[in-house]
Protein backbone atom coordinates (compact mmCIF):
# COMPACT_ATOMS: atom_id res chain seq x y z
CA UNK A 1 0.00 0.00 0.00
CA UNK A 2 1.39 3.39 -0.94
CA UNK A 3 1.36 6.37 1.39
CA UNK A 4 -1.00 9.12 0.15
CA UNK A 5 0.84 12.22 -0.92
CA UNK A 6 -0.06 15.84 -1.19
CA UNK A 7 1.22 17.76 -4.21
CA UNK A 8 2.07 21.33 -3.29
CA UNK A 9 2.97 24.16 -5.67
CA UNK A 10 5.17 26.76 -3.99
CA UNK A 11 5.44 30.20 -5.59
CA UNK A 12 8.09 32.77 -4.73
CA UNK A 13 6.48 35.78 -6.43
CA UNK A 14 8.47 38.31 -8.41
CA UNK A 15 8.13 40.19 -11.67
CA UNK A 16 11.56 39.51 -13.14
CA UNK A 17 11.91 36.02 -11.64
CA UNK A 18 8.95 34.13 -10.19
CA UNK A 19 10.14 30.90 -8.61
CA UNK A 20 7.92 27.84 -8.89
CA UNK A 21 8.52 24.52 -7.21
CA UNK A 22 6.36 21.46 -6.77
CA UNK A 23 6.86 18.69 -4.25
CA UNK A 24 4.94 15.58 -3.35
CA UNK A 25 4.88 15.23 0.43
CA UNK A 26 3.85 12.01 2.14
CA UNK A 27 2.18 11.75 5.53
CA UNK A 28 5.53 10.83 7.06
CA UNK A 29 6.79 14.28 5.86
CA UNK A 30 9.12 12.78 3.27
CA UNK A 31 9.20 14.92 0.15
CA UNK A 32 9.91 14.24 -3.51
CA UNK A 33 10.84 16.83 -6.12
CA UNK A 34 8.30 17.09 -8.95
CA UNK A 35 9.18 20.38 -10.66
CA UNK A 36 11.59 23.27 -10.24
CA UNK A 37 11.65 26.39 -12.37
CA UNK A 38 11.54 30.13 -12.78
CA UNK A 39 9.06 32.15 -14.80
CA UNK A 40 10.81 35.22 -16.20
CA UNK A 41 9.67 38.54 -17.59
CA UNK A 42 11.87 41.29 -18.95
CA UNK A 43 11.95 44.55 -16.96
CA UNK A 44 11.52 46.61 -20.16
CA UNK A 45 8.07 45.16 -20.86
CA UNK A 46 4.93 47.02 -19.74
CA UNK A 47 3.64 45.82 -16.38
CA UNK A 48 0.50 44.24 -17.84
CA UNK A 49 2.61 42.11 -20.22
CA UNK A 50 4.92 41.07 -17.39
CA UNK A 51 1.98 40.00 -15.25
CA UNK A 52 0.46 38.16 -18.22
CA UNK A 53 3.72 36.23 -18.69
CA UNK A 54 3.83 35.31 -15.00
CA UNK A 55 0.19 34.23 -15.15
CA UNK A 56 0.69 32.12 -18.27
CA UNK A 57 3.69 30.42 -16.69
CA UNK A 58 1.80 29.57 -13.49
CA UNK A 59 -1.18 28.27 -15.48
CA UNK A 60 1.15 26.03 -17.54
CA UNK A 61 2.76 24.58 -14.40
CA UNK A 62 -0.66 23.89 -12.86
CA UNK A 63 -1.94 22.27 -16.07
CA UNK A 64 1.11 20.04 -16.39
CA UNK A 65 1.57 18.98 -12.75
CA UNK A 66 -1.91 19.29 -11.20
CA UNK A 67 -1.05 20.34 -7.63
CA UNK A 68 -3.53 19.92 -4.78
CA UNK A 69 -2.73 23.23 -3.10
CA UNK A 70 -0.75 26.44 -3.72
CA UNK A 71 1.55 28.16 -1.21
CA UNK A 72 2.70 31.71 -1.97
CA UNK A 73 5.29 33.78 -0.15
CA UNK A 74 3.50 36.49 1.80
CA UNK A 75 4.62 39.99 0.94
CA UNK A 76 5.42 41.54 4.27
CA UNK A 77 8.00 44.32 4.40
CA UNK A 78 10.83 45.37 2.18
CA UNK A 79 12.73 48.62 1.88
CA UNK A 80 12.35 49.06 -1.88
CA UNK A 81 8.78 50.13 -2.73
CA UNK A 82 9.03 49.17 -6.40
CA UNK A 83 10.15 45.66 -5.38
CA UNK A 84 7.27 45.40 -2.91
CA UNK A 85 4.75 46.50 -5.54
CA UNK A 86 6.00 44.06 -8.16
CA UNK A 87 6.13 41.21 -5.66
CA UNK A 88 2.62 42.03 -4.43
CA UNK A 89 1.28 42.16 -7.99
CA UNK A 90 2.85 38.79 -8.87
CA UNK A 91 1.52 37.37 -5.60
CA UNK A 92 -1.99 38.55 -6.49
CA UNK A 93 -1.74 36.88 -9.89
CA UNK A 94 -0.66 33.61 -8.24
CA UNK A 95 -3.55 33.69 -5.77
CA UNK A 96 -6.05 34.59 -8.51
CA UNK A 97 -4.92 31.69 -10.68
CA UNK A 98 -5.16 29.28 -7.72
CA UNK A 99 -8.77 30.42 -7.22
CA UNK A 100 -9.52 30.07 -10.95
CA UNK A 101 -8.37 26.44 -10.75
CA UNK A 102 -10.32 25.75 -7.56
CA UNK A 103 -7.11 25.21 -5.60
CA UNK A 104 -6.84 26.15 -1.96
CA UNK A 105 -4.08 28.70 -1.42
CA UNK A 106 -2.14 29.91 1.59
CA UNK A 107 0.54 32.47 2.22
CA UNK A 108 3.58 32.10 4.47
CA UNK A 109 6.08 34.72 5.57
CA UNK A 110 9.76 34.23 4.74
CA UNK A 111 10.55 33.72 8.44
CA UNK A 112 7.85 31.02 8.74
CA UNK A 113 9.34 29.22 5.75
CA UNK A 114 12.92 29.49 7.03
CA UNK A 115 11.89 28.22 10.46
CA UNK A 116 10.00 25.27 8.95
CA UNK A 117 12.87 24.28 6.67
CA UNK A 118 15.97 25.05 8.75
CA UNK A 119 14.61 25.41 12.26
CA UNK A 120 15.81 29.03 12.30
CA UNK A 121 13.63 31.94 11.18
CA UNK A 122 16.61 34.11 10.21
CA UNK A 123 18.42 31.52 8.08
CA UNK A 124 20.20 32.83 4.99
CA UNK A 125 19.52 31.77 1.39
CA UNK A 126 22.37 29.26 1.36
CA UNK A 127 21.08 27.53 4.51
CA UNK A 128 17.60 27.25 2.97
CA UNK A 129 19.01 25.88 -0.30
CA UNK A 130 21.14 23.37 1.61
CA UNK A 131 18.21 22.04 3.63
CA UNK A 132 15.93 21.90 0.58
CA UNK A 133 18.58 19.89 -1.27
CA UNK A 134 19.05 17.58 1.70
CA UNK A 135 15.32 16.92 2.22
CA UNK A 136 14.74 16.34 -1.50
CA UNK A 137 17.90 14.24 -1.86
CA UNK A 138 19.28 16.49 -4.60
CA UNK A 139 22.91 16.14 -5.67
CA UNK A 140 23.29 19.92 -6.04
CA UNK A 141 21.75 22.97 -4.42
CA UNK A 142 18.58 24.08 -6.19
CA UNK A 143 19.15 27.26 -8.19
CA UNK A 144 18.36 30.00 -8.70
CA UNK A 145 17.45 31.08 -5.16
CA UNK A 146 13.90 32.00 -6.29
CA UNK A 147 13.26 28.40 -7.31
CA UNK A 148 14.79 27.06 -4.09
CA UNK A 149 12.55 29.42 -2.10
CA UNK A 150 9.52 28.11 -4.00
CA UNK A 151 10.41 24.53 -3.02
CA UNK A 152 10.89 25.65 0.59
CA UNK A 153 7.45 27.30 0.52
CA UNK A 154 5.86 24.11 -0.77
CA UNK A 155 7.50 21.98 1.93
CA UNK A 156 6.67 24.51 4.64
CA UNK A 157 3.02 24.45 3.67
CA UNK A 158 2.88 20.66 3.52
CA UNK A 159 4.53 20.37 6.91
CA UNK A 160 2.74 23.22 8.66
CA UNK A 161 -0.53 23.46 6.77
CA UNK A 162 -2.47 26.70 6.77
CA UNK A 163 -1.00 29.28 9.15
CA UNK A 164 -2.79 29.63 12.47
CA UNK A 165 -5.44 32.33 12.56
CA UNK A 166 -7.06 34.15 15.43
CA UNK A 167 -10.43 32.59 14.55
CA UNK A 168 -9.03 29.10 15.10
CA UNK A 169 -8.11 29.98 18.67
CA UNK A 170 -4.39 29.42 18.12
CA UNK A 171 -1.68 31.81 19.23
CA UNK A 172 -0.33 34.11 16.55
CA UNK A 173 3.31 35.01 16.17
CA UNK A 174 4.04 38.77 16.24
CA UNK A 175 4.45 38.73 12.43
CA UNK A 176 1.16 36.88 11.95
CA UNK A 177 -0.61 39.28 14.34
CA UNK A 178 0.76 42.33 12.44
CA UNK A 179 -0.33 40.79 9.14
CA UNK A 180 -3.83 39.98 10.45
CA UNK A 181 -4.20 43.55 11.73
CA UNK A 182 -3.07 44.97 8.38
CA UNK A 183 -5.54 42.75 6.49
CA UNK A 184 -8.35 43.81 8.84
CA UNK A 185 -7.51 47.49 8.31
CA UNK A 186 -7.44 47.02 4.53
CA UNK A 187 -10.99 45.63 4.56
CA UNK A 188 -12.42 48.80 6.14
Amino acid sequence: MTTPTRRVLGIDPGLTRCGVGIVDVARDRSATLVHLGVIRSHPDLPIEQRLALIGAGIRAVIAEHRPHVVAVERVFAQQNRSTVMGTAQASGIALLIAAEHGLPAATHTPSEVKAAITGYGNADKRQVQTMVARVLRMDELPTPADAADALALAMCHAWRGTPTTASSGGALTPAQRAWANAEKAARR
Side-chain angles (χ1 to χ4, degrees):
M1 180 165 118
T2 61
T3 305
T5 60
R6 186 174 195 196
R7 181 162 287 184
V8 184
L9 166 58
I11 299 175
D12 182 30
L15 279 178
T16 304
R17 290 178 319 275
C18 180
V20 291
I22 299 179
V23 293
D24 282 345
V25 181
R27 286 193 181 159
D28 66 2
R29 295 175 47 115
S30 61
T32 306
L33 175 64
V34 174
H35 175 78
L36 174 65
V38 175
I39 303 164
R40 298 179 189 274
S41 75
H42 197 278
D44 292 340
L45 291 174
I47 186 68
E48 67 275 12
Q49 290 180 19
R50 296 181 79 187
L51 292 170
L53 286 169
I54 299 296
I58 293 170
R59 284 185 181 99
V61 168
I62 289 173
E64 182 176 348
H65 299 288
R66 302 195 177 280
H68 302 123
V69 64
V70 177
V72 180
E73 183 174 279
R74 181 181 295 169
V75 180
F76 195 64
Q78 293 177 341
Q79 299 300 322
N80 185 334
R81 281 191 189 166
S82 65
T83 301
V84 170
M85 289 302 295
T87 302
Q89 290 166 329
S91 178
I93 293 295
L95 294 169
L96 171 70
I97 292 169
E100 288 176 350
H101 285 83
L103 298 171
T107 59
H108 299 277
T109 65
S111 60
E112 288 171 328
V113 174
K114 291 173 184 179
I117 300 305
T118 70
Y120 178 58
N122 290 322
D124 63 30
K125 294 257 185 213
R126 181 104 174 147
Q127 290 169 311
V128 172
Q129 287 174 298
T130 300
M131 286 307 296
V132 166
R134 188 172 294 159
V135 169
L136 295 175
R137 297 167 303 286
M138 299 172 77
D139 294 331
E140 296 178 12
L141 297 182
T143 57
D146 310 282
D149 288 349
L151 290 174
L153 272 154
M155 289 188 295
C156 170
H157 183 75
W159 292 345
R160 289 188 160 193
T162 304
T164 305
T165 63
S167 62
S168 68
L172 297 175
T173 67
Q176 289 171 327
R177 192 171 25 263
W179 183 261
N181 290 338
E183 284 182 326
K184 199 180 298 180
R187 282 187 229 128
R188 292 183 191 148

